[in-house]
Amino acid sequence: MKKGYFGDFGGRFAPELLMPPLLELEEAMARIMAGEPFQRELADLLTHFVGRPTALYHCANLSRELGFGLWLKREDLAHTGAHKINNTVGQALLAKHMGKTRLVAETGAGQHGVATATAAALLGLECIVYMGAEDVVRQAHNVQRMELLGATVRPVDSGSRTLKDAINAAMRHWIAEQGTTHYCLGSAVGPHPFPLLVRELQAVIGREALDQIQARIGVLPDQVVACVGGGSNAIGMFHAFVPHAQVALIGVEAAGDGSPGCCHSATLSTGTTGVLHGTMTKLLQTVEGQILASHSLAPGLDYPGVGPEHAHLQALGRAQYVCVTDDQALAAFMRLARTEGILPALESSHALAYALKLTGTLPQTANVVICLSGRGDKDLEIVRQELLKREG
């Protein structure tokens, strides 16, 4: 495999001005992050600050209705309420060891912005977060959280005013301020070494889940399921299970309203190969290579690309990628709330909606593990508006 690639996907398609900080980061991963002192310090923070290991919860009520065992890897119980904190604490710690004094980040659903602001506050770093202007409105609660944590939130009015445009703005900031600044990228996307760095920091999810499910039922699960936008929770969940070929890996993408020609975020299911944000991957694009608009009810899935390792797993046939509509995700959100007392993030609700569609198709002895990537508090206003719309 070529350095920085996952099969035919990945690489480092970056402007000349971005090469020095990318090479510096790659060198720091080898020199600092791989060392035992860094790993010991990170493990301590994950245990005593983040709250790991997170629980693996058996949904007894829902399992009876579905006819098979349903389990949730509860990343919503991690500090700040989502898996994003695993990545930001690791990157912030690495930045501090590199002598950087500022983190710059982008965010869509707001959870990565909150997690970056949290890690920056903990480690004494300045924090600037770029956020699409549309997402600033959709996730006002998280904007307030970031500001209370000491971060500066900069709305981005260009393009579709969502995550893609926030990434562009954050990268431009990093180019200009690379001497003092680390770009804390929030998903397993971007030029090498980011997809590898984020995967390594999120792989703790899958390692814990693998150990926990075997301790609870004595065997491996039949399926492991996670939602996919950029794909960081999914690649973190999948990584430990990839060598176990008997475990099906299912990534769930957002299909919008599901009508022909609708705006969606189903990159792996409908996209084609191209370059976005410095990496070769599957994209939503025209035949001329222009990036198409994306959409999802879940802001964190609203991205026209995907992490290159997912494109590789799909090409290998090791993981399957399926689609769920906004309506199906919303129904799954409501059903988990009312059967198990858990409000899932709308992103995670896509993964749950896929599992609900398996009702009656699996034997009672089957077990499905879902990565519940975040909690749904942040989405309450979106859910309220959608329910009002449906009530007419």
Side-chain angles (χ1 to χ4, degrees):
M1 185 176 290
K2 290 184 290 184
K3 183 181 176 185
Y5 278 79
F6 305 92
D8 293 331
F9 301 96
R12 185 156 48 205
F13 298 84
E16 192 176 340
L17 289 172
L18 205 53
M19 293 305 286
L22 288 170
L23 293 171
E24 182 188 20
L25 181 59
E26 184 179 21
E27 187 273 335
M29 286 176 62
R31 178 175 55 84
I32 301 169
M33 190 171 155
E36 202 246 331
F38 180 92
Q39 289 297 325
R40 193 168 54 241
E41 194 175 356
L42 177 60
D44 185 75
L45 287 174
L46 291 176
T47 300
H48 301 294
F49 184 71
V50 173
R52 306 208 69 87
T54 56
L56 180 71
Y57 172 69
H58 178 233
C59 298
N61 298 330
L62 207 43
S63 293
R64 279 193 294 275
E65 295 179 10
L66 299 179
F68 58 85
L70 183 70
W71 302 78
L72 302 178
K73 179 57 175 165
R74 297 288 308 275
E75 291 302 290
D76 59 313
L77 297 180
H79 182 41
T80 72
H83 71 290
K84 296 292 187 182
I85 192 72
N86 307 317
N87 175 44
T88 61
V89 163
Q91 288 201 46
L93 186 62
L94 182 60
K96 188 159 186 174
H97 279 271
M98 292 167 70
K100 306 296 183 183
T101 58
R102 180 192 299 140
L103 298 181
V104 62
E106 83 299 324
T107 193
Q111 291 297 84
H112 175 59
V114 170
T116 304
T118 299
L122 172 72
L123 295 170
L125 301 168
E126 185 186 353
C127 182
I128 296 172
V129 180
Y130 288 91
M131 192 169 187
E134 184 173 327
D135 291 333
V136 168
V137 175
R138 292 199 288 184
Q139 298 293 336
H141 176 65
N142 275 333
V143 172
Q144 285 183 309
R145 292 174 72 192
M146 285 181 259
E147 290 175 342
L148 285 170
L149 289 160
T152 301
V153 179
R154 295 186 177 174
V156 178
D157 279 309
S158 59
S160 59
R161 306 165 81 227
T162 57
L163 181 59
K164 170 178 71 70
D165 312 291
I167 292 176
N168 290 337
M171 279 191 170
R172 283 194 293 271
H173 182 114
W174 193 32
I175 288 172
E177 305 289 344
Q178 55 189 264
T180 58
T181 302
H182 170 69
Y183 179 20
C184 189
L185 187 50
S187 195
V189 301
H192 176 71
F194 280 113
L196 180 63
L197 172 61
V198 177
R199 195 276 307 282
E200 287 299 297
L201 292 171
Q202 294 290 10
V204 65
I205 304 172
R207 288 197 299 271
E208 287 179 4
L210 191 149
D211 290 344
Q212 289 168 321
I213 193 69
Q214 290 189 113
R216 296 287 293 276
I217 62 174
V219 293
L220 290 167
D222 297 272
Q223 297 188 22
V224 169
V225 185
C227 63
V228 178
S232 68
N233 92 93
I235 207 66
M237 185 71 172
F238 289 174
H239 187 59
F241 291 96
V242 167
H244 302 280
Q246 68 272 44
V247 180
L249 305 178
I250 312 293
V252 184
E253 299 189 294
D257 67 17
S259 62
C262 75
C263 199
H264 56 79
S265 303
T267 308
L268 288 156
S269 302
T270 66
T272 53
T273 301
V275 173
L276 178 65
H277 295 140
T279 194
M280 178 78 74
T281 187
K282 297 292 283 293
L283 309 176
L284 301 179
Q285 60 182 339
T286 66
V287 291
E288 293 82 20
Q290 296 299 312
I291 301 301
L292 292 168
S294 58
H295 165 76
S296 172
L297 178 71
L301 302 184
D302 189 356
Y303 182 61
V306 67
E309 193 167 2
H310 285 293
H312 177 52
L313 291 176
Q314 182 190 45
L316 289 176
R318 180 62 191 92
Q320 294 174 266
Y321 295 87
V322 299
C323 291
V324 157
T325 66
D326 289 347
D327 281 354
Q328 290 166 335
L330 187 62
F333 177 99
M334 299 301 296
R335 191 162 173 186
L336 188 67
R338 293 180 181 184
T339 55
E340 300 290 345
I342 298 170
L343 290 177
L346 284 172
E347 290 79 10
S348 316
S349 299
H350 284 71
L352 182 65
Y354 163 79
L356 298 184
K357 290 200 282 186
L358 298 176
T359 304
T361 66
L362 299 179
Q364 285 190 341
T365 53
N367 288 282
V368 174
V369 180
I370 294 174
C371 183
L372 197 77
S373 58
R375 69 186 186 211
D377 308 43
K378 70 180 180 62
D379 296 318
L380 293 184
E381 183 56 23
I382 297 175
V383 170
R384 189 181 74 84
Q385 294 290 340
E386 289 296 322
L387 292 178
L388 283 173
K389 223 186 287 180
R390 282 157 179 75
E391 287 169 6

